[in-house]
Amino acid sequence: MFSIWIKIRNVECEKSDVQLPRKFDHLLSHLAYVQHGLLTQPCKFKIRDVEEEEKGTRESPLMIEMPRSMIKSLYIIEDLPFQAIVIGSTLKIGPVTGVIVDKSDRVSGTARKEITHVIGGILVFLNRKSINLVNKTVAGKVYDHKNRVWIGRTVPLPEVIYVRGTLKKYRHLLLDEYRRMGGILFNTRRHDKYEIEHHLGGIIELKDAFITSTLIENADSVIHFLKDKKKVVLKPSKSKRGKGVIFIEEKDTDIYQIYDYRKTRKARQQVVSHQELQTYLNQLATRKRYIMQEWISFLQYRGAPFDMRVHMQKDEGSWICNGIECRVARAGEKITNVSKGGKAISFSQAMGNCSEETRDMVKERILHFCDMFCTHLDQALPDDHFADVGMDIGLEKDYTIRFIEVNFSPAFKGFRRFNRLMYKKISWQPLLYAAQCQGYIK
């Protein structure tokens, strides 16, 4: 199998004829089909002489000539650069990769669009409702790199779909039908904190890092926990970006301090009695499924607590780390999320008070833990085919690693503040991996 850069050109010929450059001469007797995305069509192949400027490179692609009817039936976009590979009797043109987002009309600023210049083919942003499994097509926004514009197009059902939005009731349909057609889905489900602890919390190499989560049954269970630990964090089991988080600490006998981040970027603070806390917790328990965890005191940067988001991504099927973003709480606050006013800084800056030797040692231990975690995650949840995850990690004062949670649609905008190259790398990697899964190379 080899990969070569091509463009498709419309010519007047028999409607099933495809004219290939002489580069494909030795494969001609084996070829019987053309595939674009998950659409396949039988055809007859012929050889044509190439023009001098056709080199088969990204800058000077070879031309493959097709009749208009075939270009239309395969939903090929002319003048876009593609890669072509041969698998058995099939000439495959791609890559064709989809990204499911909740609002496909809001993609103009995404950093992912520039990837088409690197891997070619079609990158389509789509809504889950725009997938037509009967016709094997999707409608969405495709980036035209040459003209630097997004265009609304119907394209073939992609070979790989990377889920960045919510699937809801479409999840099982996609898992069953789309996969039966040969499609690959990345990150199909956002597992909650309690589920992840159930799957991985008992694994010997990981369990000491887990901050044990307990489902809140009633107010008394939280108050009993506070009597033992003195501090507790309450979180919705499926929260993200710090939404719904509450910190509570026992200040004195039957006197409690609450830091409530449910509706604000800055905590709504209140001091309450035992009876007032019980009323507060009873109201909380009726709204969402909450978990409670011990409130761990993490390392601080300039007097404010910080944790880190470790971006783990797949490359050629193996996990790699493409960046660590440390998040520092704003002055006087407890929560570190950038969406709640936290500040993103580099690992080196956050660990600036340590020696270089200590900093390297801690980083190596973090990366080893995250690699083990992701390997076990793949084994525990094989149907989800994770392409990337965001590991939220805290460090105690003695540099003990504590696992906070794993994010299955991780945000990474904080990198734009201190390392734009790393930001671009993180945004591109799942799409490079998607191309690899389809058999294409950079």
Side-chain angles (χ1 to χ4, degrees):
M1 182 174 65
F2 69 95
S3 176
I4 196 164
W5 284 83
I6 59 117
K7 282 189 177 181
I8 304 298
R9 182 164 62 196
N10 169 40
V11 294
E12 295 297 328
C13 59
E14 293 295 326
K15 67 178 183 179
S16 63
D17 283 356
V18 174
Q19 299 194 42
L20 299 175
R22 194 161 294 282
K23 182 92 172 176
F24 292 86
D25 198 1
H26 65 293
L27 298 169
L28 193 63
S29 61
H30 303 293
L31 292 175
Y33 301 94
V34 171
Q35 179 181 339
H36 185 41
L38 289 182
L39 289 175
T40 302
Q41 188 168 320
C43 58
K44 298 176 182 178
F45 292 91
K46 297 180 179 179
I47 294 297
R48 53 171 284 271
D49 291 326
V50 299
E51 298 170 13
E52 186 176 344
E53 64 270 17
E54 297 179 50
K55 307 295 184 184
T57 63
R58 182 169 57 197
E59 294 75 20
S60 304
L62 295 170
M63 302 302 296
I64 292 180
E65 297 180 345
M66 288 184 183
R68 169 65 61 191
S69 59
M70 185 176 292
I71 290 174
K72 185 176 180 180
S73 63
L74 289 174
Y75 293 88
I76 291 172
I77 301 176
E78 293 181 67
D79 208 36
L80 281 187
F82 291 93
Q83 294 187 62
I85 58 176
V86 173
I87 301 177
S89 60
T90 301
L91 174 71
K92 195 161 79 162
I93 298 168
V96 182
T97 303
V99 181
I100 288 182
V101 291
D102 289 327
K103 296 181 179 180
S104 58
D105 59 335
R106 296 184 182 178
V107 297
S108 59
T110 177
R112 301 188 198 274
K113 62 189 179 184
E114 299 294 333
I115 192 67
T116 55
H117 179 64
V118 177
I119 59 175
I122 289 176
L123 173 64
V124 56
F125 280 72
L126 59 131
N127 184 281
R128 61 184 180 272
K129 296 180 181 179
S130 65
I131 298 172
N132 188 325
L133 293 173
V134 176
N135 294 337
K136 292 187 178 181
T137 60
V138 299
K141 296 285 188 177
V142 175
Y143 188 65
D144 178 350
H145 189 274
K146 180 180 178 181
N147 297 307
R148 296 186 175 275
V149 294
W150 290 92
I151 53 176
R153 294 294 292 261
T154 298
V155 298
L157 193 58
E159 280 196 82
V160 175
I161 295 179
Y162 173 40
V163 181
R164 288 288 294 184
T166 51
L167 293 180
K168 296 184 178 178
K169 64 182 180 181
Y170 293 88
R171 180 176 182 269
H172 290 294
L173 179 64
L174 280 174
L175 285 176
D176 295 339
E177 292 299 314
Y178 177 68
R179 285 181 173 172
R180 183 181 59 78
M181 295 174 182
I184 299 172
L185 276 170
F186 291 165
N187 297 31
T188 59
R189 186 177 169 195
R190 298 174 184 177
H191 300 269
D192 68 32
K193 302 171 181 67
Y194 201 66
E195 285 180 274
I196 294 302
E197 188 169 336
H198 170 74
H199 285 295
L200 302 184
I203 294 171
I204 293 174
E205 303 97 322
L206 306 178
K207 65 178 184 179
D208 289 344
F210 272 80
I211 305 171
T212 303
S213 301
T214 305
L215 278 173
I216 296 176
E217 297 178 359
N218 50 48
D220 287 340
S221 64
V222 179
I223 292 172
H224 180 75
F225 190 95
L226 273 166
K227 293 293 183 186
D228 182 39
K229 301 293 185 181
K230 306 304 179 184
K231 291 182 175 184
V232 67
V233 183
L234 310 183
K235 304 174 182 179
S237 61
K238 291 190 176 182
S239 70
K240 60 180 182 177
R241 298 179 183 174
K243 293 180 179 178
V245 177
I246 301 165
F247 295 80
I248 307 174
E249 63 177 320
E250 186 180 50
K251 303 294 287 185
D252 204 342
T253 304
D254 292 337
I255 301 295
Y256 304 91
Q257 175 90 43
I258 298 174
Y259 304 86
D260 190 333
Y261 287 93
R262 283 180 295 171
K263 295 181 181 180
T264 59
R265 285 163 62 93
K266 296 181 68 175
R268 293 173 59 191
Q269 298 187 35
Q270 52 183 313
V271 178
V272 297
S273 67
H274 180 280
Q275 185 59 48
E276 289 169 329
L277 178 62
Q278 196 150 28
T279 301
Y280 175 90
L281 293 170
N282 282 330
Q283 292 173 344
L284 182 71
T286 62
R287 294 177 181 175
K288 287 183 179 179
R289 188 167 94 144
Y290 266 78
I291 60 171
M292 59 181 171
Q293 297 176 328
E294 183 181 359
W295 176 358
I296 305 291
S297 295
F298 292 140
L299 280 184
Q300 295 189 347
Y301 173 77
R302 295 182 179 176
F306 76 89
D307 59 21
M308 57 195 74
R309 168 72 55 84
V310 183
H311 287 269
M312 299 295 292
Q313 299 183 304
K314 288 273 182 68
D315 183 51
E316 298 286 359
S318 298
W319 287 103
I320 59 172
C321 173
N322 270 332
I324 300 177
E325 169 191 345
C326 292
R327 301 161 320 168
V328 186
R330 68 196 299 179
E333 300 296 329
K334 311 299 179 186
I335 205 162
T336 61
N337 299 69
V338 174
S339 60
K340 290 288 188 179
K343 178 183 177 183
I345 61 175
S346 69
F347 180 81
S348 296
Q349 185 177 353
M351 301 289 289
N353 290 334
C354 305
S355 67
E356 185 177 352
E357 182 181 4
T358 299
R359 191 163 59 242
D360 290 345
M361 177 270 294
V362 171
K363 186 174 183 179
E364 184 178 345
R365 288 176 52 229
I366 290 169
L367 296 183
H368 178 65
F369 172 81
C370 290
D371 184 68
M372 284 195 305
F373 185 100
C374 291
T375 299
H376 285 294
L377 186 68
D378 281 338
Q379 294 168 357
L381 300 166
D383 284 343
D384 289 300
H385 198 141
F386 301 109
D388 67 343
V389 295
M391 298 279 299
D392 287 356
I393 300 293
L395 293 175
E396 295 193 56
K397 292 178 181 178
D398 62 355
Y399 307 120
T400 297
I401 294 171
R402 304 308 300 263
F403 166 71
I404 302 169
E405 63 179 320
V406 57
N407 293 268
F408 298 100
S409 184
F412 50 94
K413 289 183 179 178
F415 280 99
R416 290 192 297 194
R417 302 183 183 189
F418 65 87
N419 193 324
R420 294 192 69 88
L421 184 62
M422 198 173 286
Y423 172 77
K424 185 170 75 171
K425 189 174 183 180
I426 292 169
S427 68
W428 282 17
Q429 186 60 46
L431 306 177
L432 291 172
Y433 177 54
Q436 292 167 2
C437 288
Q438 295 171 65
Y440 301 98
I441 58 175
K442 284 196 290 183

